[in-house]
Amino acid sequence: MSGLIILGTFVDTPTRDAIRIRENHLCVVSADTGKIVLLSPLLTADWDALADDDVFKLAGTEFDGYRVMRLRKSQFVTPGFVDCHCHAPQYRQIGTATDYTIFNWLNEITFPNEAKCADVDYARNLYTKLVQRLLRNGTTCVQYFATNHVPASKLLAEICERMGQRAFVGKVCADQNSPDYYIETTQASCEGTEEFINYVHGMKSGRDAKGKDALVHPVITPRFVPTCSDALLTKLGELAKKYDVRVQSHASETVDQVLRVRELHPDIGGGRDAAIFKHFGLLTDKTLFAHGTHLRDAEADELVRAGASVSSCPIANLMHSQAVLPVKRFHDRGLKIGLGTDIAGGYSASMLGPIRNAVIQNRTEEFVEVDREGEGWPTAGVKWPVDFKYAFHVATVGGAEALGIQDLVGTIDVGKAFDALVVDAGCEDQAFDYWEEDGARFGFEKWVNMGDDRNVVETFVNGRLVASRS
Ligand code: GUN
Ligand code: FE
């Protein structure tokens, strides 16, 4: 038996509207299970003075010999981020072509980049850099789109497992409306998907820890309606049923895409994504749609009835969708919502980017018609529903709910996996010392609003140290 005992402050957001701060706490993590086995108040705020033996006495003798970690006053533990939507092959192009429209961006930039992953060595190099960057940024769980290629998709799953990132990985499916150099036959797409599911289920983490506790999971991934034939969608619906695995796709993302889908399928539910996926058996309680920006209320309700969820990708939506996802409105209807970077439709490789933009997007939702004519002021006294606490909740608990792993990750609680970050709000020149007396509340808010990877001292997934600043 071995593990870790952490002494210090723990900050998380179990609900949307409050930060939970537990100062002077002792947390025990089992290295065998990766789970938190004890979290209790310490009798002293002076934990630096406690010798290891005193700590073992406080924690319980069964934890003798565990590594003791004493946090500094400027440090605290938070849950790791859950990124519900990320295209691994697009890491090459992140931060570029932000002046393109969605279909030009796909055809001229994205498809050529994704096609490069036919070369497994190229993919290995790129994916290793991406997973390392995300772990350093504090992202402990990601739902990925890989590419059409089975070998490179398997490789992404393996890299996540080896580097210790919790991951949901999809081999992308596209058998139409794609360039000649990046398209599959319907049969190859279906067979490749089945091969990929079986491969990931047979991986070490899949065998050792069945079901929800597995570190890496396969996801059935029709790219979006335009690139998938009826035959392909039908077969993928059958596979979703046969294997009872997760499903992801893009839905109701941009005006151009919504119009294109309506042209392609005028006869299914008025050509709306939600109805089309439902028609083909791809709207299940394990489905997570990226974006959903242009969902109607009735469609959000349909998703709720199915048990499906959406990933809000605020940067991509503000850039491309001509609309934003009404997070509060859909939450109030019961929809499960996570947050996504949408690399590279969104240009941030850190979840702090979408968190900040989720707040900004909510501010834009509350915009008023400016009184330019001097005719009177339309409203007063707005209360902003989505603030930094709410956005952090969506990036942690929300993502866990959207992926069906809310019992495993999202908060720091006994019984949950230790997917967590040690954050230092006071590194280098960030002047935390002026705030120290105010405690973790402002340190946490400062980090969420203006921190970066320098503040993420250590990243743990399932109790394992997977990234470290030093
Ligand atoms: N729709 C189809 N493919 C994509 C993609 O790669 N990114 C985004 N944002 N939308 C898509
Ligand atoms: Fe996307």
Side-chain angles (χ1 to χ4, degrees):
M1 289 279 283
S2 65
L4 179 65
I5 302 179
I6 305 172
L7 309 179
T9 300
F10 297 78
V11 185
D12 59 3
T13 48
T15 61
R16 298 178 210 166
D17 47 10
I19 315 171
R20 174 169 65 170
I21 300 176
R22 285 163 294 179
E23 290 180 320
N24 302 336
H25 271 61
L26 174 155
C27 176
V28 182
V29 178
S30 157
D32 297 330
T33 63
K35 294 201 167 142
I36 301 167
V37 290
L38 180 72
L39 182 58
S40 63
L42 261 179
L43 300 175
T44 170
D46 191 16
W47 60 76
D48 273 336
L50 290 175
D52 281 8
D53 281 344
D54 298 328
V55 174
F56 300 142
K57 269 186 216 136
L58 282 172
T61 46
E62 66 269 40
F63 306 122
D64 272 9
Y66 279 31
R67 181 164 77 88
V68 179
M69 192 171 155
R70 297 169 181 79
L71 300 191
R72 285 208 285 269
K73 293 289 184 216
S74 57
Q75 296 180 334
F76 48 85
V77 170
T78 72
F81 297 121
V82 179
D83 182 349
C84 288
H85 184 55
C86 173
H87 297 264
Q90 296 176 18
Y91 189 45
R92 181 175 192 269
Q93 70 195 65
I94 188 171
T96 70
T98 51
D99 51 351
Y100 283 59
T101 61
I102 198 84
F103 282 102
N104 289 344
W105 177 82
L106 282 173
N107 289 320
E108 292 171 34
I109 307 292
T110 303
F111 291 153
N113 271 319
E114 293 199 10
K116 289 182 198 297
C117 291
D119 177 347
V120 176
D121 289 332
Y122 166 88
R124 179 179 297 109
N125 187 18
L126 184 67
Y127 291 169
T128 303
K129 286 182 176 146
L130 171 65
V131 174
Q132 184 168 73
R133 171 53 28 218
L134 298 183
L135 289 173
R136 285 182 179 166
N137 286 345
T139 304
T140 47
C141 178
V142 186
Q143 176 160 264
Y144 287 110
F145 275 56
T147 59
N148 296 1
H149 317 101
V150 177
S153 302
K154 289 178 178 172
L155 186 71
L156 176 59
E158 278 167 16
I159 289 170
C160 292
E161 183 175 73
R162 185 156 32 82
M163 297 179 74
Q165 188 173 51
R166 197 178 295 286
F168 294 80
V169 182
K171 174 219 128 17
V172 176
C173 296
D175 70 340
Q176 65 174 26
N177 294 322
S178 305
D180 293 346
Y181 60 84
Y182 190 49
I183 191 166
E184 317 164 284
T185 63
T186 311
Q187 189 183 354
S189 191
C190 298
E191 288 175 2
T193 296
E194 197 156 9
E195 179 184 336
F196 179 73
I197 293 170
N198 286 319
Y199 181 81
V200 177
H201 278 161
M203 279 170 43
K204 183 171 159 291
S205 76
R207 276 200 306 271
D208 285 356
K210 285 195 186 65
K212 286 184 176 181
D213 283 355
L215 197 66
V216 182
H217 305 257
V219 187
I220 292 176
T221 306
R223 180 172 204 111
F224 68 153
V225 167
T227 58
C228 299
S229 67
D230 289 10
L232 177 56
L233 292 173
T234 304
K235 183 70 187 168
L236 294 180
E238 287 166 14
L239 290 178
K241 193 160 184 206
K242 176 174 173 188
Y243 289 98
D244 192 26
V245 290
R246 298 204 59 86
V247 175
Q248 62 178 343
S249 192
H250 295 89
S252 303
E253 177 183 1
T254 70
V255 172
D256 289 357
Q257 174 261 325
V258 168
L259 293 175
R260 189 77 208 280
V261 171
R262 194 170 68 186
E263 254 171 46
L264 288 168
H265 287 282
D267 301 333
I268 306 179
R272 303 283 302 175
D273 279 312
I276 295 164
F277 285 114
K278 184 177 180 197
H279 176 84
F280 290 105
L282 289 162
L283 179 60
T284 77
D285 63 351
K286 294 194 171 60
T287 299
L288 197 164
F289 289 126
H291 307 288
T293 326
H294 290 275
L295 282 174
R296 295 174 179 152
D297 284 347
E299 293 168 331
D301 294 345
E302 183 80 51
L303 264 58
V304 173
R305 279 195 294 278
S309 45
V310 298
S311 169
S312 179
C313 305
I315 299 183
N317 294 153
L318 286 161
M319 295 295 285
H320 303 292
S321 295
Q322 297 176 253
V324 296
L325 186 89
V327 173
K328 175 76 167 48
R329 180 192 187 95
F330 283 173
H331 253 161
D332 288 347
R333 302 184 88 87
L335 189 59
K336 291 178 282 188
I337 303 174
L339 212 55
T341 56
D342 191 21
I343 290 172
Y347 50 69
S348 172
S350 164
M351 285 290 283
L352 291 169
I355 285 175
R356 293 165 193 165
N357 279 277
V359 176
I360 298 294
Q361 102 166 28
N362 177 248
R363 298 291 200 268
T364 69
E365 275 178 89
E366 305 292 334
F367 276 9
V368 295
E369 199 68 41
V370 176
D371 182 27
R372 309 241 187 247
E373 309 278 332
E375 288 178 344
W377 200 246
T379 56
V382 178
K383 185 176 176 305
W384 315 111
V386 181
D387 58 18
F388 75 99
K389 306 183 280 291
Y390 192 132
F392 190 86
H393 171 84
V394 178
T396 51
V397 176
E401 287 172 351
L403 287 164
I405 52 171
Q406 66 278 3
D407 296 339
L408 193 62
V409 304
T411 59
I412 307 293
D413 277 305
V414 170
K416 285 199 172 174
F418 192 65
D419 283 24
L421 319 177
V422 175
V423 175
D424 195 329
C427 68
E428 295 165 12
D429 51 3
Q430 290 173 322
F432 180 82
D433 39 343
Y434 292 107
W435 290 102
E436 207 171 307
E437 69 205 57
D438 298 281
R441 196 264 186 230
F442 287 122
F444 176 74
E445 182 177 3
K446 254 176 178 284
W447 171 59
V448 172
N449 282 324
M450 47 176 300
D452 52 47
D453 63 323
R454 288 172 302 162
N455 302 97
V456 181
V457 182
E458 291 188 328
T459 305
F460 292 86
V461 176
N462 213 41
R464 171 179 163 199
L465 179 66
V466 291
S468 165
R469 219 168 74 91
S470 51

